[in-house]
Amino acid sequence: MFDLVRLIYTSRAQFNYADGGSGMEPEVAEILKQSRENNRQANIGGVLYFADGYFFQCLEGKRPHVLSLVQRLQKDKRHDDFKISYFRRARRRRFNDWSMKYVPVGEDVIDLIKSRGYSNFTPVTFDESDINSVIDLFSRMDDPSLRNPELNNASRLKRRLMERLFPRSTLPSFWSL
């Protein structure tokens, strides 16, 4: 029987990013898009957070699927200093409805980080209590990326279905998919 596991890793970005920028980094958007497509097939879920040049990602799923994904992630050139911070069996998923939830930099996260004694987001120094606090906060937050059709798999699936049902040649010119 396959066990449900929760694995959290941190890593440092190997691309140029805007410090404190107000939108999603293009590289992070691409990672999120790929994660949502690939994780759904492997029944892996979780959450992705990027701030101050660090990735913090929680993965949940069956042990062999999560470990296989981690092997691929460790080879990804977009980050280095890959460190598994937490790896445990899980009784239930915290991110059940997400192939990959995205949490943006925001006041809630900044307040939590400061309340735990950090001046900026440095997940490589987090202890288990810090990790659990972050995961708890992330599980309660909304994912604004779902409003972006390019990142929202449901929107892409709906568009593909509509294109199959109604080829472009049969649609009125005012109706765009």
Side-chain angles (χ1 to χ4, degrees):
M1 172 141 195
F2 295 116
D3 293 327
L4 177 65
V5 296
R6 181 173 300 117
L7 183 145
I8 297 167
Y9 77 86
T10 61
S11 62
R12 182 178 288 280
Q14 286 299 296
F15 54 84
N16 293 327
Y17 57 90
D19 284 328
S22 62
M24 188 184 298
E25 291 291 332
E27 288 283 343
V28 175
E30 183 59 31
I31 290 167
L32 182 62
K33 184 177 171 182
Q34 288 173 346
S35 295
R36 287 181 174 165
E37 291 170 2
N38 297 335
N39 291 354
R40 184 168 274 109
Q41 294 170 4
N43 198 24
I44 294 173
V47 63
L48 175 67
Y49 182 75
F50 178 78
D52 298 327
Y54 287 99
F55 288 101
F56 178 96
Q57 188 168 26
C58 172
L59 301 169
E60 298 175 329
K62 293 180 179 176
R63 181 191 236 16
H65 297 164
V66 169
L67 293 177
S68 175
L69 174 58
V70 166
Q71 287 178 336
R72 289 192 312 273
L73 290 172
Q74 288 174 317
K75 296 174 187 173
D76 191 322
K77 301 290 186 213
R78 294 174 288 194
H79 64 161
D80 66 3
D81 295 335
F82 189 98
K83 176 187 168 196
I84 295 174
S85 305
Y86 182 96
F87 183 52
R88 306 272 191 284
R89 288 176 64 185
R91 286 189 216 136
R92 64 177 182 84
R93 291 178 185 248
R94 296 293 301 269
F95 303 97
N96 196 40
D97 296 332
W98 305 94
S99 59
M100 190 50 56
K101 181 178 185 176
Y102 173 72
V103 173
V105 175
E107 290 302 315
D108 290 344
V109 179
I110 293 168
D111 290 346
L112 174 66
I113 297 306
K114 288 182 178 176
S115 76
R116 303 211 49 101
Y118 298 96
S119 58
N120 58 1
F121 187 74
T122 53
V124 294
T125 62
F126 289 179
D127 62 21
E128 190 167 331
S129 175
D130 297 328
I131 290 168
N132 287 326
S133 293
V134 169
I135 291 299
D136 185 53
L137 175 64
F138 288 175
S139 70
R140 295 187 318 255
M141 295 178 74
D142 290 330
D143 182 344
S145 73
L146 295 178
R147 294 186 287 273
N148 180 340
E150 289 302 310
L151 298 174
N152 184 350
N153 198 37
S155 294
R156 260 195 320 279
L157 292 174
K158 181 179 176 182
R159 187 172 60 240
R160 286 183 194 152
L161 176 63
M162 292 299 288
E163 288 171 348
R164 283 186 183 158
L165 293 172
F166 305 102
R168 288 193 183 274
S169 61
T170 65
L171 290 175
S173 61
F174 61 85
W175 187 358
S176 63
L177 295 176

